[in-house]
Each structure stands twice: as structure tokens, then as C-alpha cells.
Amino acid sequence: MKIALLQCPPPPADPERGLLQIADAAAYAAKDGATVLVTPEMAVTGYALGPDVVAALAEPADGAYYTAIADICRANKIAIAYGFPERGGDGAVYNSVQLVTADGTALTTYRKTHLYGDVDRMQFTAGATLSEVVSLGGLRIALAICYDIEFPELVRAYALAGADLVITPTANMVPYDSVCTRIVPARAEENGIAIAYANYIGEEGDFIYCGRSCIVDPGGRDLARALPRDPVLIMAELPDRRAHEGAHLADRRPDLYAALTMPQPARET
């Protein structure tokens, strides 16, 4: 499967501009034979906008953003994983990514579960469940968003569920470049799983985005990587099934570290 990643500036609270960036990238990616295009986090609207703006721009998972993306998918015969602010049926606003197939079907939607700092907590409600693992283009795919990938338990859970690829829209900023260069390859290698990590460039509010979008194979090696400041579309071929590199999954000892997932007990004062 050929995967394409869009590295671009965030649209300034302008969904029309955001959708145009995605449509242009989809057209180029499809011409080069890509099966799926991955955008950055909140690519339709921009990310660091403040709670009032995000709430005003939020749409349900089957709303106007989905309709526009589905049209782009059908027009270019390419699947798209795109980030957007989702208005849930409960009225809450979520930081979400939706994977839409080449025929315009919404395959799955995931809500960011690990909220990053005040910027996320002021704007969003945390998702309550991990991504389901879905099949597309010969691969089993799970979804994550930005800060999620920094938690080893999340990617390990996806690997144990049989995922071959974790698609990860992100809005990672300076000085956290090490996430792109160290953590993402480590998550891939320790789980024998590919990761597609699509980041922004440019500035938004107080943030300077660090780029370095990458497609990493199950051995933690770069298949494609963008430079820090360039708007670019990067692409790479992924194998049709997990390469099963390393022995980490087979050699793990869950009996020794089950406590890692238990709540910390309250300390006596």
C-alpha cells in the first residue's frame, strides 16, 4: 500500500482553506498512486484556536466536513485520514480523526484520548476509547492523534490487537522535535508496527510547529521523512502485512508489569 502524508501550515480557523489544502494534496497523491492520504491534526480548521473558536467550528462526524472529504475521496479515488473538531451527540467537542475510504464511506472515527496541556484541555473533551482496528488496502489500521503516540501502552495495545499501521495526525511544536525523531521510530520498532506521523509547519498562536513528518517501517526505519520547515507531500510503500520485526511481542512478560495499567494509590500525608 502506498501512503501519502501532507505536511502543511495550519489553516487560520478557515475550513474552506483547510479543505482546499486537503483536496490539492489528495489530487497529487492519487496521481502518484497513493492508497491513503494522512493530514495533520485538526487539518480542516487549524489546532490552537481557543475554545470558543473551536466550538463554533465543530461539526458532527457525519456533518459538513465529512461530506466535503467524502467528495474529495470519490473525485480522486483515494482514502483520506483527516483531523477535525467533532461535535459529539453529547454536545462535547472532541479532537478527532476520521478515516474515509476512496468511495466516500466513513470507515472509523477516533477521538484523542490523551489531552496535551492547557491547549487541549481548554478546547476538547478526552475520548473514552482506543481506536478500533480496521482493514484498508491490505493493512489493518489503528488511529492515534499527536500526544497519544507518546504513551507506549497505546501503541502496544494496537499491536496486540493486530494492527499493521498506526495513522497519527499531529500538531507537534518546537522544542519537542525528539518525538518525531526518537519516540515515533521507537514505538514502531518495539511493536513491529508501521507509523505514519503527519505534522504541521509554520506558526499558530504561541506555537512554532516542527515539521519532520515521517513514515516509519516496523523496524523503526524511515521510509520517508520531511524537513522541519517545508510544505511537502511525502510518500512511501508499505508491505501488505506486518513485517514481524523483532521479538518484543512474543517475549513480553505481562505477569511482571500488569501494575503499570493500575491507578496509582493515594499517598498518605
Side-chain angles (χ1 to χ4, degrees), residues 79-161:
I80 299 177
Y82 72 101
F84 72 106
E86 180 193 353
R87 174 72 66 183
D90 56 0
V93 176
Y94 298 92
N95 183 337
S96 296
V97 54
Q98 187 171 61
L99 178 58
V100 181
T101 66
D103 68 1
T105 301
L107 193 56
T108 189
T109 304
Y110 166 74
R111 297 166 172 173
K112 189 175 186 179
T113 50
H114 298 81
L115 298 184
Y116 172 74
D118 290 342
V119 63
D120 265 349
R121 294 188 182 97
M122 290 172 60
Q123 297 185 135
F124 306 110
T125 297
T129 60
L130 295 182
S131 167
E132 60 181 331
V133 178
V134 296
S135 295
L136 180 72
L139 293 179
R140 289 178 57 75
I141 297 172
L143 304 176
I145 299 174
C146 199
Y147 194 41
D148 289 331
I149 208 73
E150 299 180 41
F151 292 83
E153 298 90 346
L154 178 135
V155 184
R156 178 55 52 88
Y158 290 158
L160 292 173

Side-chain angles (χ1 to χ4, degrees), residues 168-182:
T168 312
T170 192
N172 188 26
M173 66 287 292
V174 174
Y176 304 113
D177 310 57
S178 62
V179 176
C180 318
T181 58
R182 293 204 299 265

Side-chain angles (χ1 to χ4, degrees), residues 6 19 28 32 72 83 102 159 182 188 209 214 217 238 256 268:
L6 172 61
L19 290 166
Y28 279 110
D32 266 353
I72 295 168
R182 293 204 299 265
Y209 294 113
C214 56
D217 79 3
L238 292 176
L256 299 181
E268 294 184 3

Side-chain angles (χ1 to χ4, degrees), residues 14-26:
D14 185 348
E16 184 176 349
R17 178 172 168 181
L19 290 166
L20 181 60
Q21 286 191 137
I22 295 170
D24 287 346

Side-chain angles (χ1 to χ4, degrees), residues 37-52:
L37 169 69
V38 181
T39 79
E41 182 176 3
M42 295 275 288
V44 173
T45 60
Y47 169 61
L49 305 176
D52 293 340

